Coordinates of all heavy atoms in Angstrom, one line a residue:
T692 N -66.1 -30.1 30.2 CA -66.5 -31.6 30.1 C -67.9 -31.8 29.9 O -68.8 -30.9 30.3 CB -65.9 -32.2 31.4 OG1 -66.6 -31.7 32.7 CG2 -64.4 -32.1 31.6
A693 N -68.3 -32.8 29.5 CA -69.7 -33.2 29.2 C -69.8 -34.8 29.5 O -69.0 -35.6 29.1 CB -70.1 -32.8 27.7
D694 N -70.9 -35.2 30.2 CA -71.2 -36.6 30.4 C -72.6 -36.9 29.8 O -73.6 -36.1 29.9 CB -71.3 -36.8 31.9 CG -70.0 -36.6 32.6 OD1 -69.1 -37.7 32.5 OD2 -69.7 -35.6 33.1
F695 N -72.7 -38.0 29.1 CA -73.9 -38.5 28.6 C -73.8 -40.0 28.3 O -72.7 -40.6 28.5 CB -74.3 -37.7 27.3 CG -73.2 -37.8 26.2 CD1 -73.1 -38.7 25.2 CD2 -72.1 -36.9 26.1 CE1 -72.1 -38.7 24.3 CE2 -71.1 -36.9 25.4 CZ -71.1 -37.8 24.4
E696 N -74.9 -40.6 27.9 CA -74.9 -42.0 27.5 C -75.3 -42.2 26.0 O -75.9 -41.4 25.5 CB -75.9 -42.7 28.3 CG -75.5 -43.0 29.9 CD -76.3 -43.9 30.7 OE1 -77.5 -44.2 30.2 OE2 -75.9 -44.4 31.6
M697 N -74.6 -43.3 25.6 CA -75.0 -43.6 24.0 C -75.5 -45.0 24.1 O -74.9 -45.9 24.6 CB -73.7 -43.5 23.2 CG -73.3 -42.0 23.1 SD -71.8 -42.0 22.0 CE -72.5 -42.6 20.3
A698 N -76.6 -45.1 23.4 CA -77.3 -46.4 23.2 C -77.0 -46.8 21.8 O -76.4 -46.1 20.8 CB -78.8 -46.2 23.4
E699 N -77.4 -48.2 21.5 CA -77.3 -48.6 20.2 C -78.0 -47.8 19.1 O -79.1 -47.3 19.2 CB -77.9 -50.1 20.2 CG -77.7 -50.8 18.8 CD -78.2 -52.2 18.8 OE1 -78.6 -52.7 20.0 OE2 -78.4 -52.7 17.7
G700 N -77.2 -47.6 18.0 CA -77.7 -46.6 17.0 C -77.4 -45.2 17.1 O -77.5 -44.4 16.1
D701 N -76.9 -44.8 18.3 CA -76.4 -43.3 18.4 C -75.1 -43.2 17.7 O -74.3 -44.2 17.6 CB -76.2 -43.1 19.9 CG -77.5 -43.1 20.7 OD1 -78.7 -43.0 20.0 OD2 -77.5 -42.9 21.9
I702 N -74.8 -42.0 17.3 CA -73.7 -41.7 16.5 C -73.0 -40.5 17.1 O -73.6 -39.4 17.3 CB -74.1 -41.4 15.0 CG1 -74.9 -42.6 14.4 CG2 -72.9 -41.0 14.2 CD1 -75.5 -42.4 13.0
L703 N -71.7 -40.5 17.2 CA -70.8 -39.4 17.7 C -69.9 -39.1 16.5 O -69.3 -39.8 16.0 CB -70.0 -39.8 19.0 CG -69.0 -38.8 19.5 CD1 -69.8 -37.6 20.0 CD2 -68.1 -39.4 20.6
M704 N -69.9 -37.7 16.3 CA -69.1 -37.2 15.2 C -68.1 -36.1 15.7 O -68.7 -35.1 16.4 CB -69.8 -36.6 14.0 CG -68.9 -36.0 13.0 SD -70.0 -35.2 11.7 CE -68.7 -34.4 10.9
C705 N -66.8 -36.3 15.7 CA -65.8 -35.3 16.0 C -65.2 -34.8 14.6 O -64.9 -35.6 13.8 CB -64.8 -35.8 17.0 SG -65.5 -36.5 18.5
Y706 N -64.8 -33.5 14.6 CA -64.2 -33.1 13.4 C -63.3 -31.8 13.6 O -63.5 -31.2 14.8 CB -65.3 -32.6 12.3 CG -66.3 -31.6 13.0 CD1 -66.1 -30.2 12.9 CD2 -67.4 -32.0 13.6 CE1 -66.9 -29.2 13.4 CE2 -68.3 -31.1 14.3 CZ -68.0 -29.8 14.1 OH -68.9 -28.9 14.6
T707 N -62.4 -31.5 12.7 CA -61.7 -30.2 12.9 C -62.3 -29.2 12.1 O -63.1 -29.4 11.2 CB -60.1 -30.5 12.4 OG1 -60.2 -30.9 11.1 CG2 -59.5 -31.5 13.3
D708 N -61.9 -27.9 12.6 CA -62.6 -26.7 11.8 C -62.3 -26.6 10.3 O -62.9 -25.7 9.6 CB -62.2 -25.4 12.6 CG -60.8 -25.2 12.6 OD1 -60.0 -25.9 11.9 OD2 -60.2 -24.1 13.4
G709 N -61.3 -27.2 9.8 CA -61.1 -27.3 8.3 C -62.3 -27.6 7.6 O -62.5 -27.3 6.4
L710 N -63.2 -28.5 8.2 CA -64.4 -28.9 7.6 C -65.5 -28.0 7.5 O -65.9 -27.5 6.4 CB -64.9 -30.2 8.3 CG -66.4 -30.7 7.9 CD1 -66.2 -31.3 6.3 CD2 -67.0 -31.8 8.8
T711 N -65.9 -27.3 8.7 CA -67.0 -26.5 8.6 C -66.7 -25.1 8.2 O -67.4 -24.3 7.8 CB -67.5 -26.4 10.2 OG1 -66.4 -26.0 11.1 CG2 -68.1 -27.6 10.7
E712 N -65.3 -24.7 8.2 CA -64.9 -23.3 7.8 C -64.6 -23.3 6.3 O -64.3 -22.2 5.8 CB -63.9 -22.8 8.6 CG -64.3 -22.6 10.1 CD -63.1 -22.1 11.0 OE1 -61.9 -21.9 10.3 OE2 -63.3 -21.9 12.2
S713 N -64.6 -24.4 5.6 CA -64.4 -24.4 4.2 C -65.4 -23.7 3.5 O -66.6 -23.8 3.8 CB -64.1 -25.8 3.6 OG -63.0 -26.4 4.2
T714 N -65.1 -23.0 2.3 CA -66.1 -22.3 1.7 C -66.3 -22.6 0.3 O -65.5 -23.3 -0.3 CB -65.8 -20.6 1.6 OG1 -64.5 -20.6 1.1 CG2 -65.7 -20.2 3.0
D715 N -67.5 -22.4 -0.4 CA -67.8 -22.6 -1.8 C -67.1 -21.3 -2.6 O -66.6 -20.5 -1.9 CB -69.2 -22.8 -2.0 CG -70.1 -21.6 -1.7 OD1 -69.5 -20.6 -1.3 OD2 -71.3 -21.7 -1.7

Side-chain angles (χ1 to χ4, degrees):
T692 58
D694 290 279
F695 56 93
E696 288 190 342
M697 290 182 65
E699 182 180 350
D701 290 352
I702 301 168
L703 175 65
M704 175 181 171
C705 302
Y706 56 91
T707 56
D708 58 8
L710 173 68
T711 54
E712 293 180 1
S713 293
T714 60
D715 61 7

